[in-house]
Amino acid sequence: MSDAKFYITTAIDYVNSRPHLGTAYEKVTADVIARYRRLRGDRVFFLMGNDEHSLKVEQAARQQGLEPEAYCDRMEEAFTEVWKLLDIDYDDFIRTSQERHKRAVAELLTRIHANGDVYQADYEGWYCNGCEAFKNEGDLVEGRCPDHVGLELAWLKEKNHFFRLSRYQDFLVEHYAKEADFVRPEVRKNELLELLRGGLKDISISRESASWGVPVPFDPDAVVYVWFDALINYVAGVGWPDDEARFQSWWPADLHLVGKDITRFHCIIWPAMLKSAGLPLPRAIFGHGFVNLGKDRMSKSLGTIVDPKALVARYGADAIRFYLCAEATFGRDLEYGEDRLAIRANSDLANGLGNLLSRAISMLIKYRDGVVPAVPTDCASAAVTARAIEDYRRAMDALDLKGGVEAAMSIVIHANKLVDDEAPWALAKDPSQAERLDRVLYELLESCRAASVLLGPVMPTKMRDLRLALRCEAEAPRLEQAAFGGLAAGTRLEKIAPLFPRIDPPEES
RNA sequence: GGCGACGUAGCUCAGUCGGUUAGAGCGAGGGAUUCAUAAGCCCUAGGUCACUGGUUCGAGUCCAGUCGUCGCUACCA
């Protein structure tokens, strides 16, 4: 139905700490979106990666007695291990220390330099190694950076290269006006528009004091400022500048998914960089919310980190992915609570969808010897499914993941009601109701199958298991296959183990 | 200080262009069943839709102000 391409990226992660549930949230939602686009039939490229430069990383490496390269290798393993556990199906994983990335950085800098957008100036001030940035006096709290109270500030004076960001102010304002969906959600756009009204300052894009980074092509004494460097991964990841054909086939990105704290870099600096370099701008940037632990921000120093690996061990990737999508309004913060995760896993998945599958198959075996009956498909469930697909598509296209899950689950809810309304065990005792029983059984099984297609992007493994249990095409279904009537008559099904075993709720703490 | 949100049943939230008795899920209480992972289904919550005033035939839904929470930003010359 669609042969559109869809290029989606997540922010690349700093490798100075291990991924936590908040980091995972971004990758999970990106993966769900990517899988949804594949379900729609789009040609999808999903890029993730690690951000390996910066003084901070170098210091972390030295502290462990490692060269930065070796340290980053280890961190790549640490990250990708978690992504694998969470079923994140990215197409490529870029690292900013890779040659392809460095070439892109050099090329982009050369271009904006040639375009007259880079100039030299001295910069002097308090530098926070935590932020990798100079701080204004006014930002300091008791002489320290409010975001990194544990770190000493350094008074630095160095020659910097500056990017003429100020030149792009009007361009950006116009672009925001022209492209309504360029920045979402609305809250973030408002913030940035306000910032644009206040005027943009040129930004420093190089560091003399650091060595672990990409050399500035026109100044061997300096390396590129880590943020400026990092953004460029999005074009490097699709072949720029060396593989023009590949680049053309994917760029511009259709969606940059980033945390709400870094929308500014992606919505202001990045577009200006691209414009200056003569490259097309991304189509959309979405600033998602944070996963908070209760009311607290998830933070390493506060000890409020939730480890995704431990959660996967207990709940499985699918339940966690389902929880993250179903519970959060995409774009806003989510208050994480393990009790809520357990409730979701039990009530929606074990009691709702999993139990529906069990009872449907069980009745089929009991009343029809396990053979899927042939029945007309113009029933109430068909209408419910059709509507669910429509709602699902609308929600997912708008990046309303919660709405998408709700639409899919409406099929399950309807089917569970149907069981009680029709009471198959009563129909089974009355031979004159045989056709009706056939129809009901088919409706229940079909509802499971349809739901599995819609929920596939959210729970790839379990939904595949579900389709396997129904002996239908398990791999890479298309959205249109969710339509009612896909289950072949005559297939014989067998009893299955619970798809989602119930989980004991966590102890009160 | 400026800008922008948010404030709806115990909890988490939906509520499109303003229109009859304000919704869902979870939790809790009750009921009728038995196919199922003791799951599912049905009924029940009587909530000043933060507060006040305004526009309107009519406002949770628009406007102004107040209070509270939060985000961004500025400044304390």
Side-chain angles (χ1 to χ4, degrees):
Chain A
M1 82 178 67
S2 159
D3 56 355
K5 68 94 183 169
F6 192 79
Y7 175 32
I8 178 173
T9 70
T10 60
I12 52 176
D13 295 302
Y14 264 128
V15 292
N16 61 330
S17 66
R18 281 158 198 279
H20 58 250
L21 188 60
T23 329
Y25 176 60
E26 175 175 297
K27 316 309 171 193
V28 166
T29 50
D31 187 58
V32 170
I33 294 165
R35 286 177 190 267
Y36 165 68
R37 301 307 296 216
R38 292 191 194 108
L39 189 69
R40 279 185 36 151
D42 291 357
R43 192 167 59 89
V44 173
F45 192 75
F46 174 20
L47 179 72
M48 288 186 17
N50 278 352
D51 188 3
E52 304 185 326
H53 289 131
S54 88
L55 191 58
K56 221 178 351 181
V57 170
E58 187 177 356
Q59 286 168 344
R62 305 283 180 215
Q63 241 169 37
Q64 297 185 21
L66 295 170
E67 288 301 310
E69 291 86 344
Y71 171 83
C72 289
D73 286 347
R74 286 195 189 180
M75 291 310 279
E76 189 208 4
E77 279 179 42
F79 275 77
T80 53
E81 180 199 1
V82 176
W83 303 152
K84 206 146 286 165
L85 284 172
L86 283 166
D87 253 332
I88 312 294
D89 186 21
Y90 49 82
D91 294 296
D92 200 351
F93 195 88
I94 192 166
R95 300 172 54 180
T96 58
S97 63
Q98 289 169 339
E99 270 313 307
R100 57 171 170 165
H101 179 75
K102 292 188 204 168
R103 278 205 302 283
V105 173
E107 174 65 20
L108 193 127
L109 256 79
T110 302
R111 286 207 190 183
I112 64 176
H113 187 243
N115 195 26
D117 280 333
V118 179
Y119 63 92
Q120 261 188 38
D122 287 329
Y123 200 97
E124 189 172 14
W126 288 110
Y127 188 82
C128 173
N129 280 326
C131 301
E132 304 272 355
F134 283 99
K135 310 296 285 189
N136 297 321
E137 290 283 350
D139 296 334
L140 304 181
V141 177
E142 294 173 10
R144 282 163 181 270
C145 168
D147 296 331
H148 301 89
V149 187
L151 294 176
E152 292 284 342
L153 291 168
W155 182 260
L156 281 187
K157 177 179 182 178
E158 58 177 38
K159 180 185 71 181
N160 275 188
H161 296 280
F162 281 79
F163 172 59
R164 290 189 202 280
L165 184 62
S166 56
R167 219 167 125 173
Y168 294 92
Q169 179 166 339
D170 294 342
F171 164 72
L172 288 168
V173 171
E174 266 177 48
H175 190 75
Y176 278 42
K178 208 165 53 190
E179 301 292 329
D181 283 345
F182 186 60
V183 181
R184 279 178 293 173
E186 203 71 21
V187 209
R188 300 295 152 238
K189 190 203 273 193
N190 290 338
E191 281 177 12
L192 295 172
L193 281 172
E194 176 62 15
L195 193 103
L196 284 170
R197 262 194 291 278
L200 296 177
K201 290 183 196 149
D202 293 344
I203 54 166
S204 161
I205 62 167
S206 70
R207 294 289 183 271
E208 270 195 323
S209 47
S211 60
W212 175 238
V214 183
V216 175
F218 40 83
D219 179 356
D221 294 335
V223 298
V224 180
Y225 170 48
V226 61
W227 255 112
F228 212 72
D229 156 1
L231 290 161
I232 299 168
N233 91 85
Y234 300 130
V235 287
V238 285
W240 193 79
D242 298 327
D243 190 341
E244 185 64 20
R246 181 151 170 268
F247 180 66
Q248 288 296 333
S249 83
W250 291 114
W251 193 258
D254 295 273
L255 181 64
H256 287 317
L257 184 59
V258 301
K260 65 178 184 180
D261 54 334
I262 55 172
T263 48
R264 174 181 312 194
F265 293 98
H266 288 81
C267 303
I268 292 186
I269 299 178
W270 179 228
M273 289 164 69
L274 289 166
K275 177 71 178 168
S276 175
L279 297 173
L281 270 49
R283 297 232 161 82
I285 299 140
F286 189 94
H288 68 253
F290 292 142
V291 179
N292 300 318
L293 186 60
K295 302 283 180 196
D296 297 320
R297 173 84 185 271
M298 211 172 272
S299 120
K300 202 176 171 185
S301 53
L302 289 174
T304 49
I305 294 288
V306 176
D307 177 13
K309 282 165 75 174
L311 280 189
V312 171
R314 185 164 164 75
Y315 297 93
D318 290 295
I320 295 166
R321 294 167 59 108
F322 181 84
Y323 163 79
L324 291 173
C325 294
E327 195 87 350
T329 300
F330 200 45
R332 297 216 281 192
D333 287 1
L334 167 67
E335 253 184 50
Y336 168 77
E338 189 175 345
D339 52 339
R340 293 292 312 168
L341 168 55
I343 284 169
R344 279 285 185 183
N346 282 334
S347 59
D348 288 340
L349 300 180
N351 299 348
L353 178 54
N355 186 48
L356 174 66
L357 181 68
S358 290
R359 64 201 309 208
I361 291 181
S362 167
M363 285 189 278
L364 184 73
I365 290 170
K366 193 165 286 188
Y367 306 135
R368 288 294 180 267
D369 208 21
V371 179
V372 177
V375 297
T377 53
D378 57 338
C379 54
S381 297
V384 166
T385 300
R387 164 174 292 201
I389 294 171
E390 208 181 300
D391 291 347
Y392 172 83
R393 182 202 295 275
R394 193 179 307 116
M396 295 300 282
D397 281 345
L399 303 182
D400 175 10
L401 307 183
K402 184 183 201 169
V405 168
E406 266 170 31
M409 289 305 288
S410 72
I411 298 174
V412 176
I413 289 167
H414 175 264
N416 269 322
K417 282 193 213 302
L418 186 73
V419 177
D420 282 78
D421 290 346
E422 297 286 350
W425 48 91
L427 298 177
K429 290 174 185 156
D430 180 355
S432 72
Q433 297 288 351
E435 267 183 38
R436 188 165 171 190
L437 177 57
D438 282 348
R439 198 206 69 219
V440 173
L441 292 174
Y442 190 84
E443 283 187 72
L444 299 181
L445 296 165
E446 251 312 86
S447 295
C448 289
R449 194 194 59 82
S452 84
V453 174
L454 302 192
L455 290 171
V458 179
M459 300 185 285
T461 304
K462 291 292 187 179
M463 294 305 94
R464 181 174 167 278
D465 291 348
L466 193 164
R467 288 191 295 275
L468 280 173
L470 295 179
R471 299 273 191 278
C472 57
E473 199 176 326
E475 303 298 337
R478 291 298 187 78
L479 186 52
E480 51 266 42
Q481 290 174 306
F484 207 82
L487 195 57
T491 313
R492 180 185 295 270
L493 305 184
E494 284 162 21
K495 179 133 180 77
I496 57 155
L499 186 63
F500 295 101
R502 283 181 62 83
I503 298 164
D504 292 331
E507 299 192 8
E508 304 278 334
S509 55

